[in-house]
C-alpha cells in the first residue's frame, strides 16, 4: 500500500509538472500573439536619414507597341489641322494600323470625331502626317515633342507650333495583397512604386511590407527586384523605385495569409484554442489520477 501510494504521488507530481509546463507554453504563445508587430509601418527609419542624395528621376522612354497622343497647336488653327488627326467613327478603318481612336473631340459634319493615338511599330517609329517616319523608340515624350517642333519649323510648316505628347496605354500591373489589384495606367513621368501602391488602394494588413517584388524585362531578360517598404533608404535607392511600363508589382502575403489557404487555417494561433487544450488536458489528468 505504501509503495502504491508513493508511486501514485510521484506520478501525480510528474503530471502536475507537465501541466505547468504546458500552461506556461500556452501563455507564452498567447502573449506572443498579443505583441505589437514591427513590420507594418512604412519608412520606419525616415527620421534617421539626413542629407541622402536621391537617385536621378527616370522619365518613361517609349518602346514598340506603346501608344501616344500628339497634338499640335498654333495661332492659326487651320494650319495645324492637318497634323491633328481626327476622324469620324464610321471611317476609322481607312486610316491604317499606325493609329487608332482615343477620345471624342467634338462634332464634325459627319458626326462624332475621334482623336487618334499613334502606335510605335516594331522598328520604333511612327508615321506623322507630312513629316513622315519619326523614330521615337528610347525617347521621352518631351524629346519627341521637341523633335517634332523643330521639324515643323525647319520645313516651314508651322511657325509657332506648340507640341504636346501624352501617353495612352502605358501601365503596370499590381498583384497580391493590395486592396485593388489590377492594371494601373501611368499618366505621368517618374511613376514610382509608391504611386502604384497608392493607386492600388495600399497594402492589406496581410501584405509583407518588407518583401515587395517588382518583375521587369530588361533587354529581353527578366529581372526581379525586392523592395522593403519599412526601410525608406532601401525604397529610394532601389532600381525599381521608378517603375517602367509593363512592370509587375507583387505584394507577397504574410505567413498568416498563407496558412488561411489550408483547412485548419490559423486555428492553432488563436489563444482560445490553447486555453481550451490546457483545460482539457487538466481535466483528463485529474480524472485519470483521481
Amino acid at each position: 500500500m505504501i509503495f502504491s501510494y508513493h508511486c501514485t504521488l510521484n506520478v501525480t507530481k510528474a503530471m502536475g509538472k507537465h501541466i505547468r509546463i504546458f500552461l506556461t507554453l500556452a501563455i507564452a504563445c498567447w502573449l506572443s500573439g498579443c505583441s505589437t508587430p514591427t513590420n507594418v509601418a512604412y519608412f520606419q527609419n525616415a527620421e534617421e536619414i539626413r542629407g541622402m542624395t536621391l537617385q536621378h528621376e527616370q522619365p518613361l522612354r517609349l518602346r514598340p507597341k506603346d501608344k501616344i497622343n500628339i497634338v499640335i497647336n498654333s495661332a492659326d488653327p487651320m494650319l495645324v489641322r492637318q497634323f491633328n488627326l481626327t476622324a469620324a467613327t464610321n471611317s476609322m478603318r481607312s486610316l491604317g494600323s499606325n493609329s487608332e481612336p482615343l477620345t471624342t473631340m467634338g462634332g464634325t459634319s459627319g458626326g462624332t470625331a475621334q482623336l487618334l493615338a499613334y502606335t510605335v511599330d516594331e522598328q520604333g517609329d511612327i508615321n506623322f502626317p507630312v513629316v513622315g517616319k519619326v523614330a521615337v523608340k528610347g525617347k521621352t515624350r518631351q524629346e519627341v515633342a521637341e523633335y517634332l517642333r523643330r521639324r515643323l519649323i525647319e520645313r516651314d510648316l508651322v511657325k509657332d507650333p506648340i507640341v504636346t505628347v501624352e501617353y495612352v496605354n502605358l501601365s503596370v500591373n499590381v498583384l497580391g495583397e493590395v486592396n485593388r489589384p489590377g492594371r494601373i495606367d501611368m499618366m505621368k513621368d517618374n511613376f514610382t512604386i509608391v504611386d502604384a501602391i497608392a493607386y492600388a488602394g495600399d497594402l492589406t494588413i496581410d501584405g509583407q511590407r518588407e518583401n515587395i517584388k517588382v518583375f521587369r524585362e530588361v533587354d529581353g531578360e527578366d529581372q526581379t527586384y525586392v523592395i522593403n517598404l519599412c526601410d525608406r533608404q532601401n525604397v529610394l535607392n532601389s532600381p525599381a523605385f521608378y517603375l517602367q511600363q509593363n512592370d509587375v508589382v507583387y505584394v507577397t502575403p504574410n505567413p498568416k495569409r498563407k496558412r488561411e489557404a489550408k483547412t485548419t487555417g490559423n486555428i492553432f494561433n488563436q489563444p482560445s484554442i490553447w486555453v481550451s487544450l490546457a483545460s482539457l488536458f487538466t481535466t483528463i489528468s485529474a480524472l485519470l489520477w483521481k
Side-chain angles (χ1 to χ4, degrees), residues 4-51:
S4 176
Y5 171 77
H6 282 295
C7 288
T8 302
L9 182 62
N10 290 334
V11 171
T12 304
K13 288 181 179 180
M15 290 301 298
K17 181 180 180 181
H18 291 157
I19 291 172
R20 288 194 297 272
I21 294 174
F22 185 84
L23 290 174
T24 301
L25 292 174
I27 293 172
C29 291
W30 180 74
L31 290 175
S32 65
C34 296
S35 60
T36 303
T38 59
N39 58 348
V40 174
Y42 300 156
F43 313 134
Q44 296 179 24
N45 61 342
E47 296 179 356
E48 302 173 4
I49 300 175
R50 302 287 182 181

Side-chain angles (χ1 to χ4, degrees), residues 280-290:
L280 177 62
F281 189 72
T282 303
T283 303
I284 295 174
S285 300
L287 291 173
L288 290 175
W289 305 106
K290 191 173 180 180

Side-chain angles (χ1 to χ4, degrees), residues 80 98 101 111 114 160 168 170 181 191 198 206 219 228 235 237 274:
V80 299
N98 185 248
Q114 297 282 344
D160 56 347
V168 174
L170 275 59
F191 193 85
D206 293 323
D219 296 328
N228 180 2
V235 175
N237 287 336
W274 290 101

Side-chain angles (χ1 to χ4, degrees), residues 27-281:
I27 293 172
C29 291
W30 180 74
L31 290 175
S32 65
C34 296
S35 60
T36 303
T38 59
N39 58 348
V40 174
Y42 300 156
F43 313 134
Q44 296 179 24
N45 61 342
E47 296 179 356
E48 302 173 4
I49 300 175
R50 302 287 182 181
M52 186 180 74
T53 302
L54 301 180
Q55 58 176 304
H56 293 295
E57 294 183 341
Q58 299 178 16
L60 298 172
R61 296 188 176 276
L62 294 171
R63 304 174 181 175
K65 298 183 181 179
D66 286 347
K67 295 180 176 63
I68 54 175
N69 166 233
I70 302 175
V71 177
I72 311 295
N73 286 298
S74 172
D76 187 352
M78 296 296 295
L79 192 62
V80 299
R81 180 175 296 180
Q82 60 184 325
F83 303 107
N84 295 329
L85 291 185
T86 59
T89 55
N90 58 1
S91 60
M92 292 302 301
R93 292 186 178 181
S94 64
L95 297 174
S97 60
N98 185 248
S99 56
E100 63 180 58
L102 175 61
T103 56
T104 301
M105 286 198 68
T108 64
S109 58
T112 302
Q114 297 282 344
L115 182 65
L116 301 182
Y118 295 86
T119 301
V120 183
D121 63 23
E122 294 296 335
Q123 290 70 42
D125 302 329
I126 60 171
N127 283 319
F128 195 72
V130 184
V131 175
K133 276 199 171 186
V134 177
V136 299
K137 180 181 178 181
K139 290 185 171 64
T140 67
R141 59 176 177 172
Q142 289 84 2
E143 291 171 345
V144 174
E146 179 59 22
Y147 175 82
L148 289 174
R149 189 187 71 84
R150 291 200 310 267
R151 288 292 300 272
L152 293 174
I153 294 175
E154 290 170 357
R155 297 181 60 174
D156 200 25
L157 297 171
V158 184
K159 293 183 178 180
D160 56 347
I162 299 175
V163 184
T164 304
V165 179
E166 298 290 347
Y167 304 124
V168 174
N169 72 325
L170 275 59
S171 64
V172 297
N173 290 299
V174 182
L175 307 174
E177 288 299 321
V178 293
N179 288 298
R180 294 192 299 271
R183 179 178 177 270
I184 295 175
D185 293 329
M186 307 173 74
M187 304 305 295
K188 66 174 186 175
D189 286 306
N190 307 311
F191 193 85
T192 70
I193 183 72
V194 178
D195 292 323
I197 291 174
Y199 281 113
D202 202 1
L203 275 65
T204 68
I205 194 63
D206 293 323
Q208 289 189 22
R209 274 73 174 153
E210 68 275 29
N211 192 21
I212 311 296
K213 292 184 174 66
V214 177
F215 303 101
R216 173 180 299 168
E217 182 179 327
V218 180
D219 296 328
E221 296 183 357
D222 292 330
Q223 299 287 342
T224 302
Y225 306 95
V226 179
I227 297 178
N228 180 2
L229 288 179
C230 297
D231 186 341
R232 183 173 184 267
Q233 188 167 3
N234 175 273
V235 175
L236 296 178
N237 287 336
S238 172
F241 175 67
Y242 291 107
L243 297 178
Q244 299 178 10
Q245 60 266 52
N246 305 323
D247 280 356
V248 176
V249 179
Y250 178 68
V251 180
T252 308
N254 61 20
K256 169 181 171 293
R257 183 63 170 166
K258 293 177 182 178
R259 285 192 297 267
E260 289 178 353
K262 300 180 180 179
T263 304
T264 55
N266 292 296
I267 185 172
F268 290 107
N269 286 340
Q270 302 297 326
S272 59
I273 190 64
W274 290 101
V275 173
S276 299
L277 288 174
S279 177
L280 177 62
F281 189 72

